[in-house]
Amino acid sequence: MITYRRRATPLHAARAGVVVAWGAVLGVATLAAAHPIALAAVACVVVVAAWSAGAGRQVGRAVLFALPAALLIAVINPLLVRQGLTVIWRFGEIPPFGQVDVTLEALVAGAVLGARAVLIVAVAALLAAVVDPDEVLRGLRRVSFRGAVTAALAVRIAPVLARDGRRMALARRSRAAAPPSPTARERVAVVRAVTTGALDRAVDLAATLELRGYATATRVARVPRPWSRHDVGIAASAAAMAALLILAAVEGVPRLETYPRLVTDAGGAAMLLAVAFVAVALAPLALRRGVAR
Amino acid sequence: MSALRFEDVTATFPRRDVPALRDVSVDIADGEFVVVAGASASGKSTFLGAACGLVPHFHGGAFAGRVTVAGMDTREHGPADLGRVVGVVRQDPETQTVLTTVRAELAFGLEHRGHGPAATARGVEEVALALGIEALLDRSVHELSGGELQRVALGAALAGRPRVVLLDEPTSQLDPVAGDELVWLLRRLNEEWGTTVILAEHRLERCLAAADRVLAFADGALACDAPPRDFLTWAGTQAPLLATPGARLLAAAGLPAPSGVKEARRSLRDAGLLDVEEDAAAPVAESRPRRRRRFARGADATALRLRGLWHELDGGRAVLRGIDLAVRPGERIALMGRNGAGKSTLLRHAAGLQQPTRGRVDAAGRVALLLQHPGDYLLHERVADEVSPAALRGAALDHLAERHPRDLSGGERQRLAMAIVTGDGPAPAVLCLDEPTRGLDRAQKAELAHCLRAGAPAIVVATHDPEFAAQVADRVVLLADGMIVADAPAAEVLSGGWYFATETARILGGAGGALLPEEGAAHLERRRRSLTEVPVR
């Protein structure tokens, strides 16, 4: 489970809004670009940013979690998509799919879709590890108070319930009559007990919210806060990445067309754009002054 | 002026026939420090719930009488309104924190009540400084220890500077150090800010010295309302289980009940029973790990043996560092140490629930482990479904077979969980218990201690409670930072310290190795005799 932990890094030091915007641009870049060079540039940014923010392990675990789904996409796409002209494998008649021909174009398109899925998960994991959820939810409370508090509780209680579940699993193992591996019935019993425990916790939390004035809450005021060098640096980085994305879209580089025939362009302009993208994305992470709080 | 007034209050929870509070009338003045005492289910929590409006607004049920808090009638004002004048801290700090970081948590209540950004920031800074948690402000609540989390919960309750703060057994999950610090902090808030403190607590010896007044409940009714010393005199005859060990010790010596160690020592000194010179000269017990002597014994003499046990977290600290421990059959060992010292991890290794990163564990048979939360063992809808009928009979719970396990009392749950881990087959070679006295009152603790003393297998019990350790154990192992720092007979370890010592031992300064009031009384009697005997030349 990914949990926010304040560390002395530029991504943690910047305000939540600009880090979310910076991550959103990375997400848009992942969805807008299909060319492997562009995807590699985004991957490079995510890896270096996660490592420099001390979140490499968390992001790595999220990527491992997403890999099976990405592989599934990469495998299923060429089996199901009937586009592309370069047939590289003929499976013949396979019910219920009918005639199945694997094309190079569908294979590449599937790989690109899988890579995008992994990158989106990695970007989300990076944001979850470096953005203070309280700061995000505090902003949301101005828009939808109850929705934001509910989301805050979900963020807070998820690791508590995970811990409850681990404790109950341990208790199951220490029963006198516990078999080495639980039966399906025992698993259901543990899940039911964790659910009951969650309801108990929910009642206690509801009482806490009552006592803290949830029922009579007023609109939360905006907190004025001066822009730090990290706020400015990461906001400028997000703006520069967005400008490069627009430039790439206007110029049509790097170009990758999958159907009906694979057309790719990996010229100097594409490489230059990718390098520039990585440089502007990572530049603010070199600012180390004032990162601790 | 009244901070809190109850007038003929009777409260009954939904679907219950017996009132949880009966005809309670009490008036608590501004700035008082009040301790609420009583056995489990005696009405303490309901009293606090009624004082903050949760009873009846949140819990429902029937409510008669009138409660006013700082002039606000709880029938007209709900908990949210009353939250402006009352702060509440409950037993489990996990369910009292709502947000992810400490700073946001402290600000939450202030923001809800319409404080502006500057007032909120100031409130957060002031309460953090007052409670000494300013270094935690930007930490995530997931990273905090139980003691730190409880301080944050107290900070959240105090951030709006309420006139009254209500605390329901806030030290039950803390080690002796963190528990004493919390009580000391409450006394400081009471003295420096004039905050009215109302504290419900089972371990009265921890807080009576700080109190101005004690309210004792029995079966939902107010049984005693008196200053600490008068309460202890009353408890000596009317409710012996509420009497502190110090009170029992001095009562046995024919002296008036003291509210704390300082007062008890003064009484003993005045009576000539605590010699100043002897006290000053009393040697500090030397407690060393007994590794070599233990390993000199034969292998068949041990029920459990840990050899060079290490538990090192991947990318983290070493929780256990080269633990060597041998447990003989029938031996009863108390494992003590502050939170995070490695007690629970050691027990999990002993029971084979974790694999050591280095070292080994040898046991002469099955090692049963009762974990900290008995509720974690309760997976079914009926008590009868949790264990076999024979085990249920053994735990004296067969009359509750049709009840839902979660409807059992704390002590009954504890017995059921113990029956689940020991089973009805061959008795385990070693029974390990992790903090079994959590949330239990003195009667339930005494019952558990009796049960453990009667049991045949070797016992290893991790506990923060020196009184319980003294009742149960014949040997105490003190852990610090994953290492054994003391391993000696209970009389030696528990009589030679401040935190890991019983109240009797602290009063007597460790004299005679007395840990329990009865042993202390015997020591005082010997001393009295030695003083009255005429020396023969």
Side-chain angles (χ1 to χ4, degrees), chain A residues 162-244:
Chain A
R163 210 155 49 221
D164 285 354
R166 281 197 296 274
R167 270 203 343 254
M168 284 186 175
L170 204 61
R172 192 207 64 77
R173 285 175 58 204
S174 62
R175 292 173 85 97
S181 56
T183 61
R185 198 174 162 194
E186 282 175 331
R187 283 182 200 276
V188 170
V190 170
V191 169
R192 192 176 55 199
V194 171
T195 311
T196 312
L199 294 175
D200 284 348
R201 285 208 183 274
V203 171
D204 285 345
L205 275 170
T208 301
L209 283 174
E210 270 298 299
L211 294 166
R212 300 270 177 86
Y214 176 72
T216 56
T218 55
R219 188 181 162 89
V220 178
R222 187 186 295 278
V223 181
R225 182 175 150 194
W227 279 65
S228 70
R229 67 172 66 228
H230 305 290
D231 296 335
V232 173
I234 289 173
S237 166
M241 283 195 293
L244 285 173

Coordinates of all heavy atoms in Angstrom, one line a residue, chain A residues 162-244:
Chain A
A162 N -6.0 -2.4 6.7 CA -5.0 -3.3 6.2 C -4.2 -4.0 7.4 O -4.0 -5.2 7.4 CB -4.0 -2.7 5.2
R163 N -3.9 -3.1 8.4 CA -3.2 -3.6 9.5 C -4.1 -4.6 10.3 O -3.7 -5.6 10.8 CB -2.8 -2.4 10.4 CG -1.6 -2.7 11.2 CD -0.8 -1.4 11.6 NE -1.6 -0.4 12.2 CZ -1.4 0.9 11.9 NH1 -0.5 1.3 11.0 NH2 -2.2 1.8 12.5
D164 N -5.4 -4.2 10.5 CA -6.4 -5.1 11.1 C -6.4 -6.4 10.5 O -6.4 -7.5 11.1 CB -7.8 -4.5 11.1 CG -8.0 -3.3 12.0 OD1 -7.0 -3.1 12.8 OD2 -9.0 -2.7 12.0
G165 N -6.4 -6.4 9.1 CA -6.5 -7.7 8.4 C -5.3 -8.5 8.6 O -5.4 -9.7 8.8
R166 N -4.1 -7.9 8.7 CA -2.9 -8.6 8.9 C -2.9 -9.2 10.3 O -2.5 -10.4 10.5 CB -1.6 -7.7 8.7 CG -1.3 -7.4 7.3 CD 0.1 -6.9 7.2 NE 0.3 -5.6 7.8 CZ 0.0 -4.4 7.2 NH1 -0.4 -4.4 6.0 NH2 0.1 -3.3 7.8
R167 N -3.4 -8.4 11.3 CA -3.4 -8.9 12.7 C -4.4 -10.1 12.7 O -4.1 -11.1 13.4 CB -4.0 -7.8 13.6 CG -2.9 -6.9 14.2 CD -3.4 -6.3 15.4 NE -4.8 -6.3 15.6 CZ -5.6 -5.2 15.5 NH1 -5.1 -4.1 15.1 NH2 -6.9 -5.4 15.7
M168 N -5.5 -10.1 12.1 CA -6.5 -11.2 12.1 C -5.9 -12.4 11.4 O -6.2 -13.5 11.9 CB -7.8 -10.7 11.5 CG -8.6 -9.8 12.4 SD -10.2 -9.5 11.8 CE -10.8 -8.5 13.1
A169 N -5.2 -12.2 10.4 CA -4.6 -13.3 9.7 C -3.6 -14.0 10.6 O -3.5 -15.2 10.7 CB -3.9 -12.9 8.4
L170 N -2.8 -13.2 11.3 CA -1.8 -13.7 12.3 C -2.6 -14.5 13.4 O -2.1 -15.6 13.8 CB -1.0 -12.6 12.9 CG 0.3 -12.8 13.4 CD1 1.2 -13.4 12.3 CD2 1.0 -11.6 14.0
A171 N -3.7 -13.9 13.9 CA -4.5 -14.6 14.9 C -5.0 -15.9 14.4 O -5.0 -16.9 15.2 CB -5.6 -13.7 15.4
R172 N -5.4 -16.0 13.2 CA -5.9 -17.2 12.6 C -4.8 -18.3 12.6 O -5.0 -19.4 13.0 CB -6.4 -17.0 11.2 CG -7.2 -18.2 10.6 CD -7.1 -18.2 9.1 NE -5.7 -18.5 8.6 CZ -5.1 -19.7 8.7 NH1 -5.8 -20.7 9.1 NH2 -3.9 -19.9 8.3
R173 N -3.6 -17.8 12.3 CA -2.4 -18.8 12.3 C -2.1 -19.2 13.7 O -1.5 -20.3 13.8 CB -1.2 -18.1 11.6 CG -1.3 -18.0 10.1 CD -0.1 -17.2 9.6 NE 1.1 -17.8 9.9 CZ 2.3 -17.2 9.9 NH1 2.3 -15.9 9.6 NH2 3.4 -17.8 10.2
S174 N -2.4 -18.4 14.7 CA -2.0 -18.9 16.0 C -3.1 -19.6 16.8 O -3.0 -19.9 17.9 CB -1.5 -17.6 16.9 OG -2.6 -16.7 17.0
R175 N -4.2 -19.9 16.1 CA -5.2 -20.8 16.7 C -4.7 -22.2 16.9 O -3.9 -22.7 16.0 CB -6.5 -20.8 15.8 CG -7.2 -19.5 15.7 CD -8.3 -19.6 14.7 NE -9.5 -20.1 15.2 CZ -10.5 -19.4 15.7 NH1 -10.5 -18.1 15.6 NH2 -11.6 -20.0 16.1
A176 N -5.1 -22.9 17.9 CA -4.6 -24.2 18.2 C -4.9 -25.2 17.0 O -4.1 -26.0 16.7 CB -5.3 -24.7 19.5
A177 N -6.1 -25.0 16.4 CA -6.4 -25.9 15.4 C -6.2 -25.4 14.0 O -6.9 -25.8 13.0 CB -7.9 -26.3 15.6
A178 N -5.3 -24.4 13.8 CA -5.2 -23.8 12.5 C -4.4 -24.7 11.5 O -3.3 -25.1 11.8 CB -4.4 -22.5 12.7
P179 N -5.0 -25.0 10.4 CA -4.3 -25.7 9.3 C -3.2 -24.8 8.7 O -3.3 -23.5 8.8 CB -5.3 -26.0 8.3 CG -6.4 -25.1 8.5 CD -6.3 -24.6 9.9
P180 N -2.1 -25.3 8.1 CA -1.1 -24.5 7.6 C -1.6 -23.4 6.6 O -1.1 -22.3 6.6 CB -0.2 -25.5 6.9 CG -0.5 -26.8 7.4 CD -1.9 -26.8 7.9
S181 N -2.5 -23.8 5.7 CA -3.1 -22.8 4.8 C -4.6 -22.8 5.0 O -5.2 -23.8 5.2 CB -2.7 -23.1 3.4 OG -3.2 -24.4 3.0
P182 N -5.1 -21.6 5.0 CA -6.6 -21.4 5.3 C -7.5 -22.0 4.2 O -7.1 -21.9 3.1 CB -6.8 -19.9 5.5 CG -5.7 -19.3 4.7 CD -4.5 -20.3 4.7
T183 N -8.6 -22.6 4.7 CA -9.6 -23.0 3.7 C -10.4 -21.8 3.2 O -10.3 -20.7 3.8 CB -10.6 -24.0 4.4 OG1 -11.3 -23.3 5.4 CG2 -9.9 -25.2 5.0
A184 N -11.1 -22.0 2.1 CA -11.9 -20.9 1.6 C -12.9 -20.4 2.6 O -13.1 -19.2 2.8 CB -12.7 -21.4 0.4
R185 N -13.5 -21.3 3.4 CA -14.4 -20.9 4.5 C -13.8 -20.0 5.5 O -14.3 -19.0 6.0 CB -15.0 -22.2 5.1 CG -16.3 -21.9 5.8 CD -16.9 -23.2 6.3 NE -17.8 -23.0 7.3 CZ -18.3 -23.9 8.1 NH1 -18.0 -25.1 8.0 NH2 -19.2 -23.6 9.0
E186 N -12.5 -20.4 5.9 CA -11.8 -19.6 6.9 C -11.4 -18.2 6.3 O -11.5 -17.2 7.0 CB -10.5 -20.3 7.3 CG -10.8 -21.5 8.3 CD -9.5 -22.3 8.6 OE1 -8.6 -22.3 7.7 OE2 -9.5 -22.8 9.7
R187 N -11.1 -18.2 5.1 CA -10.8 -16.9 4.5 C -12.0 -16.0 4.5 O -11.9 -14.8 4.8 CB -10.4 -17.1 3.0 CG -8.9 -17.6 2.8 CD -8.6 -17.6 1.3 NE -7.5 -18.5 1.0 CZ -6.3 -18.2 1.1 NH1 -5.9 -16.9 1.4 NH2 -5.3 -19.0 0.8
V188 N -13.2 -16.6 4.2 CA -14.4 -15.8 4.2 C -14.7 -15.3 5.7 O -15.1 -14.1 5.9 CB -15.6 -16.6 3.7 CG1 -16.9 -15.9 4.0 CG2 -15.4 -16.9 2.2
A189 N -14.4 -16.2 6.6 CA -14.6 -15.8 8.1 C -13.7 -14.6 8.4 O -14.2 -13.7 9.1 CB -14.4 -17.0 9.0
V190 N -12.5 -14.7 8.0 CA -11.5 -13.5 8.3 C -12.0 -12.3 7.6 O -12.1 -11.2 8.2 CB -10.1 -13.9 7.8 CG1 -9.2 -12.7 8.0 CG2 -9.5 -15.0 8.7
V191 N -12.4 -12.4 6.3 CA -12.9 -11.2 5.6 C -14.1 -10.6 6.3 O -14.3 -9.4 6.5 CB -13.2 -11.5 4.2 CG1 -14.0 -10.4 3.5 CG2 -12.0 -11.9 3.4
R192 N -15.0 -11.5 6.8 CA -16.2 -11.0 7.5 C -15.9 -10.3 8.8 O -16.4 -9.3 9.1 CB -17.2 -12.2 7.7 CG -18.5 -11.8 8.2 CD -19.4 -13.0 8.3 NE -18.8 -14.0 9.2 CZ -19.2 -15.3 9.3 NH1 -20.1 -15.7 8.5 NH2 -18.6 -16.1 10.2
A193 N -14.9 -10.9 9.5 CA -14.5 -10.3 10.8 C -13.8 -9.0 10.5 O -14.1 -8.0 11.3 CB -13.5 -11.3 11.5
V194 N -13.0 -8.9 9.5 CA -12.4 -7.6 9.2 C -13.5 -6.5 8.8 O -13.4 -5.4 9.2 CB -11.4 -7.7 8.0 CG1 -10.9 -6.3 7.5 CG2 -10.2 -8.6 8.4
T195 N -14.5 -7.0 8.1 CA -15.6 -6.1 7.7 C -16.3 -5.6 8.9 O -16.6 -4.4 9.1 CB -16.6 -6.8 6.7 OG1 -15.8 -7.4 5.7 CG2 -17.6 -5.8 6.1
T196 N -16.6 -6.5 9.8 CA -17.3 -6.2 11.1 C -16.4 -5.2 11.9 O -16.9 -4.2 12.4 CB -17.5 -7.4 12.0 OG1 -18.1 -8.4 11.2 CG2 -18.4 -7.1 13.1
G197 N -15.1 -5.5 11.9 CA -14.2 -4.5 12.6 C -14.2 -3.2 11.9 O -14.1 -2.1 12.6
A198 N -14.3 -3.2 10.6 CA -14.3 -1.9 9.9 C -15.6 -1.1 10.3 O -15.5 0.1 10.4 CB -14.3 -2.1 8.4
L199 N -16.7 -1.8 10.4 CA -17.9 -1.1 10.8 C -17.7 -0.5 12.2 O -18.2 0.6 12.5 CB -19.1 -2.0 10.7 CG -19.5 -2.5 9.3 CD1 -20.6 -3.5 9.3 CD2 -19.9 -1.3 8.5
D200 N -17.1 -1.3 13.1 CA -16.9 -0.8 14.5 C -16.0 0.5 14.4 O -16.3 1.5 15.1 CB -16.1 -1.9 15.3 CG -17.1 -3.0 15.8 OD1 -18.3 -2.8 15.6 OD2 -16.5 -4.0 16.2
R201 N -15.0 0.4 13.6 CA -14.1 1.6 13.5 C -14.8 2.8 12.9 O -14.6 3.9 13.3 CB -12.9 1.2 12.6 CG -11.9 0.3 13.3 CD -10.5 0.6 12.7 NE -9.5 -0.3 13.2 CZ -8.8 0.0 14.3 NH1 -9.1 1.1 15.0 NH2 -7.9 -0.8 14.8
A202 N -15.7 2.5 12.0 CA -16.5 3.5 11.3 C -17.3 4.2 12.4 O -17.5 5.5 12.3 CB -17.3 3.0 10.2
V203 N -17.9 3.5 13.3 CA -18.8 4.1 14.3 C -17.9 5.0 15.2 O -18.3 6.1 15.5 CB -19.5 3.0 15.1 CG1 -20.2 3.6 16.4 CG2 -20.5 2.2 14.3
D204 N -16.7 4.5 15.6 CA -15.8 5.3 16.4 C -15.4 6.5 15.7 O -15.3 7.6 16.3 CB -14.6 4.4 16.8 CG -14.9 3.4 17.9 OD1 -16.0 3.5 18.5 OD2 -14.1 2.5 18.0
L205 N -15.1 6.4 14.4 CA -14.6 7.6 13.7 C -15.8 8.6 13.5 O -15.6 9.8 13.6 CB -14.2 7.2 12.3 CG -12.7 6.7 12.2 CD1 -12.4 6.1 10.9 CD2 -11.8 7.9 12.5
A206 N -17.0 8.1 13.4 CA -18.1 9.0 13.3 C -18.3 9.8 14.6 O -18.6 11.0 14.5 CB -19.4 8.2 13.0
A207 N -18.1 9.1 15.7 CA -18.2 9.8 17.0 C -17.1 10.9 17.1 O -17.4 12.0 17.5 CB -18.0 8.8 18.1
T208 N -15.9 10.5 16.6 CA -14.8 11.5 16.6 C -15.1 12.7 15.8 O -14.9 13.9 16.2 CB -13.5 10.9 16.1 OG1 -13.2 9.8 16.9 CG2 -12.3 11.8 16.1
L209 N -15.7 12.5 14.6 CA -16.1 13.6 13.7 C -17.2 14.4 14.3 O -17.1 15.7 14.2 CB -16.6 13.0 12.4 CG -15.5 12.5 11.4 CD1 -16.2 11.9 10.2 CD2 -14.7 13.7 11.0
E210 N -18.1 13.8 15.0 CA -19.2 14.6 15.7 C -18.5 15.5 16.7 O -18.9 16.7 16.8 CB -20.1 13.6 16.5 CG -21.3 13.1 15.7 CD -22.2 14.2 15.3 OE1 -22.8 14.9 16.2 OE2 -22.4 14.4 14.1
L211 N -17.6 15.0 17.5 CA -17.0 15.8 18.6 C -16.1 16.9 18.0 O -15.8 17.9 18.7 CB -16.1 14.8 19.5 CG -16.9 13.8 20.3 CD1 -16.0 12.7 20.8 CD2 -17.7 14.5 21.4
R212 N -15.6 16.7 16.8 CA -14.7 17.7 16.2 C -15.6 18.8 15.4 O -15.0 19.6 14.7 CB -13.7 17.1 15.2 CG -12.8 16.1 15.9 CD -11.6 16.8 16.4 NE -10.7 15.8 17.1 CZ -9.9 15.0 16.4 NH1 -9.7 15.1 15.2 NH2 -9.2 14.1 17.1
G213 N -16.9 18.7 15.5 CA -17.7 19.7 14.9 C -18.1 19.5 13.5 O -18.4 20.4 12.8
Y214 N -18.0 18.2 13.0 CA -18.4 18.0 11.6 C -19.8 18.5 11.2 O -20.0 19.0 10.2 CB -18.2 16.4 11.4 CG -18.6 15.9 10.0 CD1 -17.8 16.2 8.9 CD2 -19.8 15.2 9.9 CE1 -18.2 15.7 7.7 CE2 -20.1 14.7 8.6 CZ -19.3 14.9 7.5 OH -19.7 14.4 6.3
A215 N -20.7 18.3 12.2 CA -22.1 18.6 11.9 C -22.3 20.1 11.7 O -23.3 20.5 11.0 CB -23.0 18.1 13.0
T216 N -21.5 20.9 12.3 CA -21.7 22.4 12.3 C -20.6 23.0 11.5 O -20.3 24.2 11.6 CB -21.7 23.0 13.7 OG1 -20.5 22.6 14.3 CG2 -22.9 22.5 14.5
A217 N -19.9 22.2 10.6 CA -18.7 22.8 9.9 C -19.1 23.9 9.0 O -20.1 23.9 8.4 CB -18.0 21.7 9.1
T218 N -18.1 24.9 8.9 CA -18.3 26.0 8.0 C -17.3 25.8 6.9 O -16.4 25.0 6.9 CB -18.0 27.3 8.7 OG1 -16.7 27.2 9.3 CG2 -19.1 27.6 9.8
R219 N -17.4 26.7 5.8 CA -16.5 26.6 4.7 C -15.1 26.9 5.1 O -14.8 27.8 5.9 CB -17.0 27.6 3.7 CG -16.3 27.6 2.3 CD -16.8 28.7 1.5 NE -16.0 29.0 0.4 CZ -16.0 28.4 -0.8 NH1 -16.9 27.4 -1.0 NH2 -15.2 28.7 -1.8
V220 N -14.1 26.1 4.7 CA -12.8 26.2 5.1 C -12.1 27.4 4.3 O -12.3 27.5 3.1 CB -12.0 24.9 4.7 CG1 -10.5 25.1 5.1 CG2 -12.6 23.8 5.5
A221 N -11.4 28.2 5.1 CA -10.8 29.4 4.4 C -9.5 29.0 3.7 O -8.9 28.1 4.1 CB -10.5 30.4 5.5
R222 N -9.2 29.8 2.7 CA -8.0 29.5 1.9 C -6.8 30.0 2.8 O -6.9 31.1 3.4 CB -8.0 30.3 0.6 CG -6.9 30.0 -0.3 CD -6.9 30.9 -1.5 NE -8.1 30.7 -2.4 CZ -8.2 29.7 -3.3 NH1 -7.2 28.9 -3.5 NH2 -9.3 29.6 -4.0
V223 N -5.8 29.2 2.8 CA -4.6 29.6 3.6 C -3.6 30.3 2.7 O -3.1 29.7 1.8 CB -3.9 28.4 4.3 CG1 -2.7 28.8 5.1 CG2 -5.0 27.7 5.1
P224 N -3.3 31.6 2.9 CA -2.3 32.3 2.1 C -0.9 31.7 2.4 O -0.6 31.5 3.6 CB -2.4 33.7 2.5 CG -3.0 33.7 3.9 CD -3.8 32.5 4.0
R225 N -0.1 31.4 1.4 CA 1.2 30.8 1.6 C 2.1 31.3 0.5 O 1.8 31.2 -0.7 CB 1.0 29.3 1.5 CG 2.2 28.5 1.8 CD 1.8 27.0 1.8 NE 2.9 26.1 1.3 CZ 2.8 24.9 0.9 NH1 1.6 24.3 0.9 NH2 3.9 24.2 0.5
P226 N 3.3 31.8 0.9 CA 4.2 32.4 -0.2 C 4.7 31.2 -1.1 O 4.9 30.1 -0.6 CB 5.3 33.0 0.7 CG 5.2 32.3 2.0 CD 3.8 32.0 2.2
W227 N 5.0 31.6 -2.3 CA 5.5 30.6 -3.3 C 7.0 30.3 -3.0 O 7.8 31.2 -3.1 CB 5.3 31.0 -4.7 CG 3.9 30.8 -5.2 CD1 2.7 31.4 -4.7 CD2 3.4 29.9 -6.2 NE1 1.6 30.9 -5.3 CE2 2.0 30.0 -6.2 CE3 4.1 29.0 -7.0 CZ2 1.3 29.2 -7.1 CZ3 3.3 28.2 -7.9 CH2 1.9 28.3 -7.9
S228 N 7.3 29.1 -2.7 CA 8.7 28.7 -2.5 C 9.4 28.5 -3.8 O 8.8 28.4 -4.9 CB 8.8 27.5 -1.7 OG 8.4 26.4 -2.5
R229 N 10.7 28.4 -3.8 CA 11.5 28.1 -5.0 C 11.0 26.8 -5.7 O 11.0 26.6 -6.9 CB 13.0 28.1 -4.7 CG 13.4 26.9 -3.9 CD 15.0 26.9 -3.8 NE 15.5 28.0 -3.1 CZ 16.6 28.7 -3.6 NH1 17.1 28.4 -4.7 NH2 17.0 29.7 -2.9
H230 N 10.6 25.8 -4.8 CA 10.2 24.5 -5.3 C 8.8 24.7 -6.0 O 8.5 24.0 -7.1 CB 10.1 23.5 -4.2 CG 11.4 23.4 -3.5 ND1 12.5 22.9 -4.1 CD2 11.8 23.9 -2.3 CE1 13.6 23.0 -3.3 NE2 13.2 23.6 -2.2
D231 N 7.9 25.5 -5.4 CA 6.6 25.7 -6.1 C 6.8 26.3 -7.5 O 6.3 25.9 -8.5 CB 5.8 26.7 -5.2 CG 5.4 26.2 -3.9 OD1 5.4 25.0 -3.7 OD2 5.2 27.0 -2.9
V232 N 7.7 27.4 -7.5 CA 7.9 28.1 -8.8 C 8.6 27.1 -9.8 O 8.2 27.0 -10.9 CB 8.8 29.3 -8.5 CG1 9.2 30.0 -9.8 CG2 8.1 30.3 -7.6
G233 N 9.6 26.4 -9.3 CA 10.4 25.5 -10.2 C 9.5 24.4 -10.8 O 9.6 24.2 -12.0
I234 N 8.7 23.8 -10.0 CA 7.9 22.7 -10.5 C 6.8 23.2 -11.3 O 6.4 22.6 -12.4 CB 7.5 21.8 -9.3 CG1 8.7 21.0 -8.8 CG2 6.4 20.8 -9.8 CD1 8.5 20.2 -7.6
A235 N 6.2 24.3 -11.0 CA 5.2 24.9 -11.8 C 5.7 25.3 -13.2 O 5.1 25.0 -14.2 CB 4.6 26.2 -11.2
A236 N 6.9 25.9 -13.2 CA 7.6 26.2 -14.5 C 7.9 25.0 -15.3 O 7.7 25.0 -16.5 CB 8.9 27.0 -14.2
S237 N 8.3 23.9 -14.6 CA 8.6 22.7 -15.3 C 7.3 22.1 -15.9 O 7.4 21.7 -17.1 CB 9.2 21.7 -14.3 OG 9.2 20.4 -14.8
A238 N 6.2 22.1 -15.2 CA 5.0 21.6 -15.8 C 4.6 22.5 -17.0 O 4.2 21.9 -18.0 CB 3.9 21.7 -14.7
A239 N 4.7 23.8 -16.9 CA 4.4 24.6 -18.0 C 5.3 24.4 -19.2 O 4.8 24.3 -20.4 CB 4.5 26.1 -17.6
A240 N 6.6 24.2 -19.0 CA 7.5 23.9 -20.1 C 7.2 22.5 -20.7 O 7.2 22.4 -22.0 CB 8.9 23.9 -19.6
M241 N 6.9 21.5 -19.9 CA 6.5 20.2 -20.5 C 5.3 20.3 -21.3 O 5.2 19.8 -22.4 CB 6.3 19.2 -19.3 CG 7.5 18.7 -18.7 SD 7.2 17.2 -17.7 CE 6.2 17.9 -16.4
A242 N 4.3 21.1 -20.8 CA 3.0 21.3 -21.6 C 3.3 22.0 -22.9 O 2.8 21.6 -24.0 CB 2.0 22.1 -20.8
A243 N 4.2 23.0 -22.9 CA 4.6 23.7 -24.1 C 5.2 22.7 -25.1 O 4.9 22.8 -26.3 CB 5.5 24.9 -23.8
L244 N 6.1 21.9 -24.6 CA 6.8 20.9 -25.5 C 5.8 19.9 -26.1 O 5.9 19.5 -27.3 CB 7.9 20.2 -24.8 CG 9.2 20.9 -24.5 CD1 10.1 20.1 -23.6 CD2 9.9 21.3 -25.8

